[in-house]
């Protein structure tokens, strides 16, 4: 036979996971860049990974656009698999490794629903606030628009706060749904809006206390400290 059979006792090495992150994050590595979500997910499931830092110039060039068609971060590479969009990457990690999705298929489906709610319902008005403040702050109508944008965030967080109540997590055990929601809510802290909802602030704090989050945060901060 011409077949080459692998020798007994030899295992295939798992493929190295590589993610991209900003070479110098706009927030100075304080956990707001979206690679934090992916780092956190990988830490929760105990998967090692490498980081390829991307500069603001490089992310719009062809080399990076083949990984992310919109020239953003993060991306995820594992062998021939290339993914973009932080939510999709976290979903893949949660599906592939135990630790972020419950075994019950119905509870898993609800966790995925919360992931979509985080990025589709809660995050858009929060991102709009950053746009008004930083990208449009010099426009004559910015001051008038700010209360409207802030009001939309408060409306969303009021309903989320009511739903969470005094529960520890959104639906039983911690899941990828909580990971994505907490990552989104972290963006409201600097505006002071999060402080208006004590149960949500406590919910975010519980997420930050998880050892996996602490490791992810420290890793991102270290890259930025090294560059600076």
């Amino acid at each position: 036979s011409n077949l080459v059979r692998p020798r007994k006792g030899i295992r295939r090495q798992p493929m190295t996971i590589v993610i991209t992150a900003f070479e110098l994050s706009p927030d100075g590595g304080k956990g707001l860049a979206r690679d934090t979500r992916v780092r956190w997910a990988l830490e929760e499931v105990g998967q090692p990974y490498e980081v390829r830092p991307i500069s603001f110039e490089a992310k719009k060039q062809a080399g990076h656009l083949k990984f992310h068609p919109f020239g953003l971060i993060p991306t995820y590479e594992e062998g021939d698999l290339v993914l973009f969009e932080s939510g999709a990457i976290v979903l893949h990690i949660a599906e592939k490794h135990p630790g972020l999705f419950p075994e019950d298929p119905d509870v898993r489906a609800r966790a995925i629903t919360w992931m979509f709610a985080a990025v589709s319902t809660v995050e858009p008005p929060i991102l709009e606030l950053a746009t008004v403040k930083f990208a449009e702050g010099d426009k004559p109508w910015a001051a008038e628009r700010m209360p409207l944008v802030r009001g939309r965030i408060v409306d969303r967080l009021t309903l989320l706060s009511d739903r969470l109540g005094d529960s520890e997590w959104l639906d039983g055990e911690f899941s990828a749904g909580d990971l994505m929601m907490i990552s989104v809510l972290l963006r409201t802290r600097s505006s002071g809006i999060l402080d208006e909802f004590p149960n949500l602030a406590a919910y975010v704090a519980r997420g930050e206390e998880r050892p996996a989050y602490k490791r992810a945060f420290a890793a991102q901060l270290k890259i930025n400290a090294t560059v600076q």
Side-chain angles (χ1 to χ4, degrees), residues 103-184:
E103 292 185 10
D104 184 300
D106 288 354
V107 185
R108 178 181 298 220
R110 291 199 298 269
I112 295 171
T113 299
W114 280 115
M115 292 181 70
F116 276 83
V119 295
S120 299
T121 303
V122 180
E123 189 168 39
I126 294 172
L127 295 178
E128 198 178 357
L129 182 67
T131 299
V132 174
K133 190 172 181 180
F134 298 109
E136 303 171 350
D138 58 343
K139 306 296 183 185
W141 35 260
E144 291 182 30
R145 188 167 174 235
M146 182 68 83
L148 300 175
V149 173
R150 187 183 176 94
R152 284 192 282 272
I153 298 173
V154 169
D155 289 345
R156 286 279 190 264
L157 296 197
T158 297
L159 295 170
L160 180 63
S161 174
D162 290 346
R163 179 58 181 263
L164 179 66
D166 59 2
S167 299
E168 185 177 20
W169 307 114
L170 288 169
D171 187 31
E173 297 298 314
F174 176 84
S175 75
D178 294 295
L179 186 153
M180 290 300 294
M181 188 65 77
I182 289 167
S183 296
V184 166

Side-chain angles (χ1 to χ4, degrees), residues 33-55:
R34 287 179 177 81
D35 62 288
T36 307
R37 303 169 185 182
V38 177
R39 294 172 185 272
W40 186 5
L42 289 167
E43 293 287 357
E44 287 282 355
V45 301
Q47 287 298 303
Y49 63 97
E50 294 179 2
V51 178
R52 189 171 67 249
I54 296 288
S55 68

